[in-house]
Amino acid sequence: MLKRFWQRPEALLVATFLILVAIGTVLLSLPAAHARGQVGVLDAFFTATSAVCVTGLITVDTATAYTRFGQTVILVLIQLGGLGLMTFGALAAQLLNLRMSFSSQAAWRGVFFEARRQANLGRALWGILLLTLTCEAAGTLLVRAGMDDVDVVGGWYEALFTAVSAFCNAGFSVYSDSLMSFRSSLLIVATVALLIVAGGLGYGVSLEVLERGWRWLRRQPAHPVRWSLQARLVLGVSLALTVGGAVALFVTGLARGSGTVLDAVFQSITARTAGFNTIEIDLLPMPALLVLIALMFVGGSPGSCAGGVKTTTAAVWVARVWTRLTDREDVSVLGRRIPRDIVRRAGLVLALAGIWNLAGMLLLALTEQGHPEWGLEDLLFEQVSAFATVGLSTGVTPGLSTIGKLWIIITMFVGRLGPVTIAFAMLSRPQTLSRYPVERVMVG
């Protein structure tokens, strides 16, 4: 059984993330990593999982509870968790001219690319690394430049931490108020938003966009092949969610207070994946929290650092519903027919995500009864934020019980890898040679 487990690509992904979490927990538990008496083993375990799963939920303040060494450990965990330990292992294998096993190659490619773009492993690896370092370096320069116009203490380290955390969609901040102190800096807010978008599109889509842009700059003839369906879906759904979410947030909550259109756009972007905030989340009315919950549940796009059920999953599911309502057989999107296995997988992802979050909300409602000031919307917000690896919170996280914190840890881990990946890694899939007789039932 163990041999079959380790031969599965899904199992390799689970194992690499578990190793990172274990190493991070040990390092963050060291006395040199935190202020004395402020961080326990459970807090270190929670922070390590949140960093590796690029979530951003915290039980202690990153800015004050951890030393510069501890913050650097968190930064490294974010980078390794965002790209994946297997990416760096694959790069090392390329440099040393070592061959990766077929299982490792399948696991790595399954994380970043859809099946049509799995040709050149080495080129894809270096393209991802170059894209990551370029975006993070440019983001660091822009964030540092914007700090000069804001009355907040900041330097190159803080700018680097913010840029890496934004591109990896982590939401960790070395400032106690996240980005609220930089709310008036258009340069910083815009830079962080663009980094979040770039990191949440998926590397396959980002590389396709860059390739098209490079051809346009060199004035080369357009590629004879149209944009891939993956790119068109990701870009279209992401734009629709960003604009629609911003309008909904402004109407349901921000327009009533001191929120601006920029705040609405930024929170619409960060709610789907990153977890930064320029406004007080716990002061938002319930309708605005429900909008954020919906955005968090959808999340970012496949092949990225983002969590959630993913934009393409939501698009395929909507297309499937429309197909059934119009009494058609094939599910089609933007002039392309979606294979049935993809349609079934989208339905499975949504079903498992819904069941997991409902079960989590019930568990939190049972374990957190000692906090009557928390409403059901606070617990639902916390649960979905952990599952979608977003990191936004209404202030619930530090006050969770031990069982509640452990559940959020498990939820962040499941949300980062995906419930389907976890299920495929843990459950056996025997080949069946028999089929049961058919009998119809009434539904609906």
Side-chain angles (χ1 to χ4, degrees):
M1 183 179 66
L2 289 176
K3 182 179 180 180
R4 290 198 303 269
F5 176 82
W6 287 109
Q7 287 177 343
R8 298 178 184 174
E10 300 91 350
L12 292 176
L13 289 175
V14 174
T16 56
F17 276 87
L18 285 175
I19 291 171
L20 275 179
V21 170
I23 295 174
T25 302
V26 172
L27 291 177
L28 291 177
S29 298
L30 296 176
H34 56 81
R36 181 174 298 179
Q38 292 195 31
V39 179
V41 176
L42 181 58
D43 295 317
F45 183 29
F46 193 102
T47 304
T49 306
S50 183
V52 171
C53 298
V54 291
T55 304
L57 288 175
I58 52 175
T59 55
V60 293
D61 187 8
T62 307
T64 58
Y66 291 101
T67 63
R68 184 54 58 91
F69 170 73
Q71 293 173 357
T72 303
V73 170
I74 294 174
L75 180 63
V76 173
L77 291 176
I78 291 172
Q79 188 73 87
L80 292 176
L83 285 177
L85 187 61
M86 292 186 65
T87 300
F88 293 94
L91 285 169
Q94 289 282 321
L95 292 173
L96 298 174
N97 291 323
L98 300 176
R99 290 183 59 86
M100 291 177 63
S101 67
F102 289 114
S103 296
S104 297
Q105 292 185 42
W108 183 86
R109 284 167 170 160
V111 170
F112 292 110
F113 297 100
E114 38 91 16
R116 192 178 64 85
R117 298 194 59 182
Q118 294 185 1
N120 194 320
L121 177 64
R123 182 180 178 184
L125 278 169
W126 290 110
I128 288 175
L129 182 63
L130 181 61
L131 175 64
T132 300
L133 295 180
T134 301
C135 289
E136 291 175 352
T140 301
L141 292 174
L142 292 173
V143 171
R144 180 64 185 89
M147 287 179 175
D148 294 334
D149 299 329
V150 182
D151 188 20
V152 176
V153 177
W156 287 105
Y157 181 84
E158 289 79 4
L160 174 64
F161 194 103
T162 302
V164 173
S165 182
F167 183 77
C168 292
N169 291 183
F172 276 88
S173 177
V174 288
Y175 298 99
S176 299
D177 60 354
S178 189
L179 296 181
M180 291 180 62
S181 300
F182 302 107
R183 184 181 178 186
S184 60
S185 175
L186 178 61
L187 179 58
I188 293 179
V189 173
T191 299
V192 172
L194 289 175
L195 286 172
I196 293 171
V197 171
L201 289 178
Y203 285 100
V205 174
S206 296
L207 293 176
E208 184 173 347
V209 171
L210 289 176
E211 181 182 353
R212 297 276 179 160
W214 178 248
R215 287 179 174 273
W216 181 80
L217 287 175
R218 297 181 62 184
R219 301 189 182 281
Q220 292 183 349
H223 200 281
V225 180
R226 297 176 60 189
W227 285 81
S228 68
L229 180 61
Q230 174 83 9
R232 288 187 289 158
L233 267 182
V234 165
L235 295 174
V237 175
S238 298
L239 179 61
L241 288 175
T242 299
V243 175
V247 173
L249 283 174
F250 190 77
V251 171
T252 58
L254 299 184
R256 304 177 188 177
S258 59
T260 64
V261 175
L262 179 61
D263 292 324
V265 174
F266 182 80
Q267 289 306 146
S268 178
I269 292 173
T270 190
R272 289 183 37 240
T273 174
F276 289 104
N277 60 285
T278 56
I279 56 176
E280 290 281 1
I281 300 299
D282 57 332
L283 298 181
L284 292 176
M286 188 182 298
L289 292 179
L290 293 178
V291 172
L292 290 176
I293 289 172
L295 292 173
M296 291 191 298
F297 185 77
V298 175
S301 301
S304 70
C305 307
V309 297
K310 306 297 189 299
T311 53
T312 50
T313 303
V316 170
W317 182 80
V318 171
R320 179 187 183 186
V321 172
W322 179 251
T323 298
R324 293 293 180 264
L325 291 176
T326 55
D327 197 23
R328 291 183 297 168
E329 184 67 24
D330 294 329
V331 177
S332 59
V333 179
L334 299 177
R336 292 292 185 271
R337 180 165 50 88
I338 307 297
R340 292 187 177 181
D341 62 314
I342 301 297
V343 176
R344 287 194 295 265
R345 188 180 182 94
L348 179 62
V349 169
L350 282 170
L352 291 177
I355 293 171
W356 185 275
N357 284 293
L358 287 175
M361 188 174 62
L362 175 61
L363 178 65
L364 292 177
L366 291 172
T367 61
E368 311 307 319
Q369 296 185 56
H371 296 276
E373 69 277 11
W374 294 347
L376 191 61
E377 70 276 8
D378 296 308
L379 299 180
L380 177 60
F381 194 96
E382 190 79 7
Q383 168 64 34
V384 176
S385 179
F387 176 81
T389 67
V390 175
L392 290 176
S393 177
T394 58
V396 168
T397 316
L400 290 172
S401 63
T402 300
I403 297 178
K405 290 178 181 178
L406 290 174
W407 172 257
I408 293 299
I409 287 172
I410 296 172
T411 299
M412 290 189 294
F413 192 83
V414 171
R416 178 67 179 97
L417 292 174
V420 174
T421 299
I422 300 292
F424 282 176
M426 302 302 297
L427 301 178
S428 60
R429 287 171 282 174
Q431 296 292 330
T432 57
L433 301 179
S434 60
R435 300 176 70 183
Y436 290 108
V438 176
E439 185 171 349
R440 300 179 68 87
V441 296
M442 295 176 64
V443 295

PDB file of all heavy atoms in Angstrom, residues 6 13 24 114 122 133 223 436:
ATOM      1  N   TRP A   6       3.379   6.084  -2.733  1.00  0.00           N
ATOM      2  CA  TRP A   6       4.487   6.950  -3.145  1.00  0.00           C
ATOM      3  C   TRP A   6       4.666   7.013  -4.651  1.00  0.00           C
ATOM      4  O   TRP A   6       5.342   7.889  -5.169  1.00  0.00           O
ATOM      5  CB  TRP A   6       5.786   6.473  -2.502  1.00  0.00           C
ATOM      6  CG  TRP A   6       5.837   6.787  -1.048  1.00  0.00           C
ATOM      7  CD1 TRP A   6       5.758   5.904  -0.011  1.00  0.00           C
ATOM      8  CD2 TRP A   6       5.947   8.085  -0.449  1.00  0.00           C
ATOM      9  NE1 TRP A   6       5.805   6.570   1.186  1.00  0.00           N
ATOM     10  CE2 TRP A   6       5.927   7.896   0.950  1.00  0.00           C
ATOM     11  CE3 TRP A   6       6.038   9.379  -0.969  1.00  0.00           C
ATOM     12  CZ2 TRP A   6       6.011   8.966   1.833  1.00  0.00           C
ATOM     13  CZ3 TRP A   6       6.124  10.437  -0.095  1.00  0.00           C
ATOM     14  CH2 TRP A   6       6.111  10.231   1.286  1.00  0.00           C
ATOM     15  N   LEU A  13       3.227  15.428  -4.081  1.00  0.00           N
ATOM     16  CA  LEU A  13       2.885  16.803  -3.742  1.00  0.00           C
ATOM     17  C   LEU A  13       2.567  16.938  -2.259  1.00  0.00           C
ATOM     18  O   LEU A  13       3.041  17.856  -1.579  1.00  0.00           O
ATOM     19  CB  LEU A  13       1.692  17.266  -4.570  1.00  0.00           C
ATOM     20  CG  LEU A  13       1.934  17.504  -6.062  1.00  0.00           C
ATOM     21  CD1 LEU A  13       0.621  17.839  -6.751  1.00  0.00           C
ATOM     22  CD2 LEU A  13       2.933  18.620  -6.272  1.00  0.00           C
ATOM     23  N   GLY A  24       9.574  24.219   8.687  1.00  0.00           N
ATOM     24  CA  GLY A  24       9.209  25.562   9.101  1.00  0.00           C
ATOM     25  C   GLY A  24       8.796  25.633  10.558  1.00  0.00           C
ATOM     26  O   GLY A  24       9.139  26.594  11.271  1.00  0.00           O
ATOM     27  N   GLU A 114      -1.834  22.858 -17.901  1.00  0.00           N
ATOM     28  CA  GLU A 114      -2.805  21.902 -18.398  1.00  0.00           C
ATOM     29  C   GLU A 114      -2.122  21.017 -19.438  1.00  0.00           C
ATOM     30  O   GLU A 114      -1.031  21.314 -19.915  1.00  0.00           O
ATOM     31  CB  GLU A 114      -4.028  22.623 -18.989  1.00  0.00           C
ATOM     32  CG  GLU A 114      -3.739  23.895 -19.764  1.00  0.00           C
ATOM     33  CD  GLU A 114      -3.537  23.632 -21.227  1.00  0.00           C
ATOM     34  OE1 GLU A 114      -3.906  22.553 -21.686  1.00  0.00           O
ATOM     35  OE2 GLU A 114      -2.999  24.526 -21.902  1.00  0.00           O
ATOM     36  N   GLY A 122      12.405  21.617 -19.094  1.00  0.00           N
ATOM     37  CA  GLY A 122      13.467  22.558 -18.746  1.00  0.00           C
ATOM     38  C   GLY A 122      13.112  23.993 -19.079  1.00  0.00           C
ATOM     39  O   GLY A 122      13.323  24.904 -18.268  1.00  0.00           O
ATOM     40  N   LEU A 133      11.148  35.796 -10.385  1.00  0.00           N
ATOM     41  CA  LEU A 133      12.188  36.710  -9.897  1.00  0.00           C
ATOM     42  C   LEU A 133      12.029  38.106 -10.491  1.00  0.00           C
ATOM     43  O   LEU A 133      12.248  39.110  -9.806  1.00  0.00           O
ATOM     44  CB  LEU A 133      13.570  36.146 -10.220  1.00  0.00           C
ATOM     45  CG  LEU A 133      13.931  34.832  -9.519  1.00  0.00           C
ATOM     46  CD1 LEU A 133      15.320  34.379  -9.934  1.00  0.00           C
ATOM     47  CD2 LEU A 133      13.846  34.981  -8.006  1.00  0.00           C
ATOM     48  N   HIS A 223       0.505  34.813 -34.025  1.00  0.00           N
ATOM     49  CA  HIS A 223       0.582  33.356 -34.044  1.00  0.00           C
ATOM     50  C   HIS A 223      -0.678  32.805 -34.702  1.00  0.00           C
ATOM     51  O   HIS A 223      -1.790  33.259 -34.408  1.00  0.00           O
ATOM     52  CB  HIS A 223       0.707  32.830 -32.610  1.00  0.00           C
ATOM     53  CG  HIS A 223       1.254  31.444 -32.547  1.00  0.00           C
ATOM     54  ND1 HIS A 223       0.482  30.336 -32.797  1.00  0.00           N
ATOM     55  CD2 HIS A 223       2.502  30.985 -32.280  1.00  0.00           C
ATOM     56  CE1 HIS A 223       1.217  29.245 -32.674  1.00  0.00           C
ATOM     57  NE2 HIS A 223       2.448  29.616 -32.349  1.00  0.00           N
ATOM     58  N   TYR A 436     -23.193  -2.327 -11.692  1.00  0.00           N
ATOM     59  CA  TYR A 436     -24.486  -2.609 -11.079  1.00  0.00           C
ATOM     60  C   TYR A 436     -25.602  -2.359 -12.087  1.00  0.00           C
ATOM     61  O   TYR A 436     -25.461  -1.573 -13.023  1.00  0.00           O
ATOM     62  CB  TYR A 436     -24.687  -1.721  -9.849  1.00  0.00           C
ATOM     63  CG  TYR A 436     -23.784  -2.075  -8.695  1.00  0.00           C
ATOM     64  CD1 TYR A 436     -22.728  -1.242  -8.366  1.00  0.00           C
ATOM     65  CD2 TYR A 436     -24.000  -3.220  -7.941  1.00  0.00           C
ATOM     66  CE1 TYR A 436     -21.891  -1.545  -7.302  1.00  0.00           C
ATOM     67  CE2 TYR A 436     -23.165  -3.541  -6.879  1.00  0.00           C
ATOM     68  CZ  TYR A 436     -22.108  -2.698  -6.563  1.00  0.00           C
ATOM     69  OH  TYR A 436     -21.280  -3.013  -5.523  1.00  0.00           O
TER      70      TYR A 436
END
